[in-house]
Amino acid sequence: MDPAFPHLFSPGRLRNLVLPNRLVMAPMESNMAAEDGTVSDAMLAYYAARAAGGVGMVIVEYACVDRPTGLGGAPQLGIDDDSLIASHRRLTAAIAAHGARSCLQLFHAGRQTLRRFTGGRAPIAPSPIACRVYREEPREITVPEIADLVRKFGDAAARAVAAGYDAVEIHGAHGYLIGGFLSGAANRRTDAYGGSLENRMRFPLAVVSAVRHGAGEAPVIVRLSAEEFVEGGTTLDEAERIAPRLVAAGADALHVSTGTAERMDRNVDPVSAPQGWRIPLASRIRAVAGVPVLTVGVIRQPDVAERAIADGSADFVALGRALLADPQWPDKARRGAVADIRPCTSCNWCVDQLLAHKRLGCAENPRAGRETEAPVLRSGAGRAAAVVGGGPGGMVAALLLQDAGFRVTLFEKADRLGLGLVASATPPGKDKFFWYRDYLVRRLADSGVELRLGAAATADDVLALRPALAVVATGAANRAFPLAGSASVPVGFAHDLLTGEAALGDGPVVIAGSGETGCECAEHVAESGRDVILVSRSPERRLARRAQYVYRRQLVARLESNPRIRIETGMEVAAVGDGRVVLRDQEGADHSHAAGQVLLALGRVPENGLAEALRAAGLPTHVIGDSREVGRIGDAVHDAYAAVRAVTRAEGGGRAEPVLGLAC
């Protein structure tokens, strides 16, 4: 059958290596290596699953060429000793078994690391300038050490080829050692390795030459940040001058990214980042490089990837977080089953896992990074199961139970599914969450799950099904606050406005509460053309404190620069009426402001009373998501998976067949 996207699924060439298609798995830190730097069983299964999904090549995550000084995390792959080759050989064989090519990324952290990773030693960098994120003052690398590292990169390339990798990639992006040498913000040396761009290129070019020699006939890819987005850092104009020099030194392809640790929002983009925004940068580099170019970053839909290849912007498309959400993305795209692709929303659950030094995971795909764990089993045998609540956790639980062989009824008190996802998707720049809601709704429509919308289920309603179990995913309720509204200034809830359950009134809006919901609601209201007063009880301007780290940076910057939003700290709403709102400061002084509406964003509390009634009736009942503890979408999805997995494994034992796919 002809592929649905012919350019994307045409063969591609890197030097003398032919890839079966133009899709590449981007290198992503996983925290799944063994402590000694070898490939663990979990890592092997993780990469094998992505290779089986149909990518043309897998770029295996950063492997350190000089442990421990060059480590950027722990645990992390190593490729600095011959003893590691056998471990990598297992991985290359697993990738090849699924028809994909393999590539290993060679890495040195430079200044972007911590002493606890480097054995207590100071990080090394081109200059003794601390990264504002890591805050570890590095030691300036000496000229003899530079020569030694050049050799180590070359030796690492030779080991990678000996381990069976079809290609190697040099990590020269994102502010690590090689990118640090290229960057005028990080490299302030006064010798032959600093100052002019020509001098700043000297070490990176020597590394490329050494890797070219060590790799033999295997292709050499260099990843670089075409823009660092930091003052004094690498710019696109400079990258256009750097690219041909990298090629002349031996690079067979360039992998175009952006950002540094200080601009993580330009590296692992938040939900607000436009799809495919780096593609024009790759096109600029391709025009001057004369070799194939890989483009990467927020490429979520096959038509975007197809267009990048078809119009000549890039030769290959690298998918990162998209393959965490759905390892089968390439195969589904090839078959034209685009609606079946579980969409990555750029929620950065995966990033938060890594920042917490946990194993890589995905909010939407609970199996990501846990491919070796025992799966859900088909133990339902046609028995009834009830799910109450149609948010992300409830929808996923219903799909998994149905896939496990249960006859599932899903109750939702609203007249539509996924109101929690609607609330997440409604604020400016967050429409990707609609993708996930729509995906789950489509999956339910194609499933055998019975939907009862507009049904606030009681314990009697659930028990009437005679179910084997129930899952309570009723979510959370708005936290009550003793504030009476008036005819001229009604009081409502910010969450209800975002879900569409409440309407936006006329005139200025006062929002009480500066958490993530309050901040997002303020931006949403301001976008409608109304003035907003965002009220925080905290005396400090600590907005959206629990928001995802990368997303929060951009959200706060937008709030503080929005002329329609006024931020009042150390205040609380004391009274409303006669078209005005009274704010009281911490000294007890009152401040009156014109207002047409007050929206409360003071938190939400779990709703789980139904679970108590069902348990009292003797029904095995599982409480998930916000009903258990108010959290993020990923918490609800992972709760659903854990509950269904536990149920089916307890019941199925060794008799039931595993569920091969993941319906959610």
Side-chain angles (χ1 to χ4, degrees):
M1 184 176 67
D2 291 337
F5 301 95
H7 293 88
L8 205 53
F9 291 94
S10 63
R13 181 180 291 273
L14 295 172
R15 194 177 174 88
N16 56 0
L17 177 68
V18 177
L19 276 59
N21 59 56
R22 306 302 183 98
L23 290 171
V24 173
M25 179 180 177
M28 293 176 288
E29 173 186 357
S30 73
N31 282 352
M32 283 192 280
E35 293 294 334
D36 61 357
T38 57
V39 176
S40 68
D41 290 343
M43 177 177 278
L44 190 74
Y46 161 76
Y47 280 112
R50 272 78 200 163
V55 290
M57 184 169 74
V58 171
I59 303 180
V60 172
E61 65 193 81
Y62 66 165
C64 186
V65 302
D66 187 25
R67 295 177 299 158
T69 309
L71 288 170
Q76 183 183 339
L77 277 179
I79 193 64
D80 59 323
D81 190 88
D82 288 351
S83 64
L84 299 167
I85 293 174
S87 163
H88 284 276
R89 196 171 283 144
R90 294 175 61 223
L91 181 53
T92 59
I95 292 170
H98 294 289
R101 309 293 184 256
S102 60
C103 174
L104 182 65
Q105 186 182 71
L106 310 180
F107 169 90
H108 191 294
R111 66 176 183 160
Q112 292 183 175
T113 188
L114 300 170
R115 285 177 183 261
R116 71 169 179 265
F117 302 143
T118 62
R121 306 175 192 181
I124 59 172
S127 301
I129 303 170
C131 168
R132 288 182 294 177
V133 173
Y134 289 89
R135 300 178 183 178
E136 294 271 13
E137 184 171 336
R139 175 178 62 80
E140 182 171 296
I141 186 172
T142 67
V143 172
E145 287 174 323
I146 289 174
D148 188 50
L149 266 179
V150 169
R151 176 186 60 80
K152 288 179 177 179
F153 268 98
D155 291 347
R159 291 188 192 98
V161 172
Y165 287 101
D166 299 298
V168 293
E169 177 175 276
I170 301 167
H171 198 340
H174 305 160
Y176 296 111
L177 184 64
I178 294 174
F181 265 90
L182 291 171
S183 172
N187 185 349
R188 306 285 177 81
R189 298 175 73 98
T190 57
D191 62 5
Y193 291 93
S196 67
L197 180 59
E198 183 70 23
N199 283 357
R200 284 185 272 126
M201 284 192 286
R202 196 177 303 275
F203 170 62
L205 294 178
V207 168
V208 174
S209 180
V211 169
R212 168 75 280 146
H213 178 76
E217 290 303 309
V220 174
I221 305 167
V222 178
R223 199 177 207 198
L224 75 156
S225 288
E227 281 269 10
E228 287 192 324
F229 296 100
V230 295
E231 185 177 354
T234 301
T235 65
L236 181 56
D237 288 342
E238 286 183 321
E240 288 177 311
R241 293 165 60 192
I242 293 167
R245 297 295 302 278
L246 296 172
V247 173
D252 299 298
L254 300 177
H255 188 171
V256 180
S257 187
T258 56
T260 68
E262 294 177 9
R263 289 306 307 270
M264 193 179 289
D265 59 327
R266 294 291 189 167
N267 179 355
V268 282
D269 314 80
V271 60
S272 54
Q275 188 174 188
W277 72 268
R278 287 186 187 84
I279 293 174
L281 304 183
S283 181
R284 287 272 297 268
I285 297 300
R286 187 175 186 267
V288 299
V291 295
V293 163
L294 292 74
T295 188
V296 69
V298 203
I299 298 172
R300 303 291 183 250
Q301 295 166 329
D303 62 320
V304 176
E306 171 78 2
R307 190 160 54 249
I309 305 299
D311 68 13
S313 294
D315 301 277
F316 297 90
V317 170
L319 301 176
R321 289 170 289 174
L323 292 180
L324 296 181
D326 196 337
Q328 296 294 318
W329 194 108
D331 185 58
K332 291 175 181 178
R334 182 184 55 79
R335 293 186 282 108
V338 175
D340 292 340
I341 295 174
R342 187 187 301 111
C344 171
T345 61
S346 300
C347 73
N348 279 339
W349 167 281
C350 50
V351 175
D352 286 349
Q353 295 293 104
L354 297 175
L355 290 174
H357 307 293
K358 298 178 182 178
R359 181 185 296 188
L360 182 66
C362 173
E364 299 173 14
N365 178 10
R367 293 283 292 169
R370 286 165 173 76
E371 287 78 10
T372 58
E373 292 184 359
V376 169
L377 296 176
R378 289 192 175 91
S379 67
R383 292 174 297 157
V387 178
V388 185
M395 288 191 282
V396 167
L399 287 166
L400 287 171
L401 285 167
Q402 194 266 342
D403 208 32
F406 287 89
R407 182 166 40 85
V408 184
T409 301
L410 172 60
F411 297 90
E412 167 53 48
K413 65 182 178 181
D415 59 1
R416 54 186 171 143
L417 295 166
L419 283 185
L421 285 164
V422 172
S424 294
T426 297
K430 296 190 70 181
D431 58 293
K432 294 184 185 70
F433 287 111
F434 280 123
W435 297 353
Y436 187 43
R437 176 190 177 273
D438 293 347
Y439 167 80
L440 290 176
V441 170
R442 285 196 303 271
R443 297 292 293 170
L444 282 167
D446 293 338
S447 75
V449 173
E450 179 187 351
L451 299 178
R452 296 191 185 180
L453 302 181
T458 65
D460 288 342
D461 293 328
V462 173
L463 295 171
L465 300 174
R466 299 185 181 277
L469 69 133
V471 175
V472 172
T474 43
N478 294 307
R479 189 184 300 275
F481 186 75
L483 182 70
S486 68
S488 61
V489 188
V491 175
F493 292 98
H495 185 270
D496 295 346
L497 179 70
L498 295 176
T499 62
E501 295 175 291
L504 184 61
D506 297 325
V509 176
V510 173
I511 298 176
S514 61
E516 185 173 4
T517 298
C519 289
E520 290 184 339
C521 189
E523 194 173 25
H524 172 64
V525 171
E527 192 177 59
S528 73
R530 292 165 175 79
D531 291 331
V532 181
I533 299 176
L534 180 61
V535 182
S536 172
R537 285 185 281 192
S538 171
E540 301 173 358
R541 189 170 286 200
R542 300 171 64 185
L543 305 176
R545 286 183 295 173
R546 296 185 180 179
Q548 196 279 323
Y549 169 74
V550 181
Y551 167 67
R552 178 180 182 272
R553 176 174 182 164
Q554 291 193 354
L555 172 63
V556 172
R558 291 196 306 269
L559 290 170
E560 292 182 335
S561 63
N562 192 320
R564 288 199 174 276
I565 298 174
R566 174 176 176 174
I567 302 169
E568 293 284 1
T569 59
M571 300 269 195
E572 63 179 358
V573 179
V576 300
D578 298 325
R580 304 192 71 80
V581 167
V582 176
L583 304 182
R584 184 163 296 152
D585 65 27
Q586 294 184 325
E587 284 72 42
D590 289 344
H591 308 263
S592 180
H593 300 274
Q597 186 175 22
V598 173
L599 296 172
L600 303 178
L602 301 174
R604 289 168 63 77
V605 294
E607 273 193 324
N608 49 30
L610 177 62
E612 297 174 8
L614 294 176
R615 285 171 175 163
L619 179 65
T621 302
H622 305 266
V623 180
I624 67 170
D626 286 357
S627 300
R628 180 182 64 82
E629 182 178 4
V630 177
R632 295 174 62 186
I633 293 166
D635 296 311
V637 172
H638 281 243
D639 273 4
Y641 177 72
V644 176
R645 178 176 174 271
V647 165
T648 64
R649 298 204 66 79
E651 296 182 340
R655 302 182 305 277
E657 292 294 321
V659 173
L660 299 179
L662 189 62
C664 62

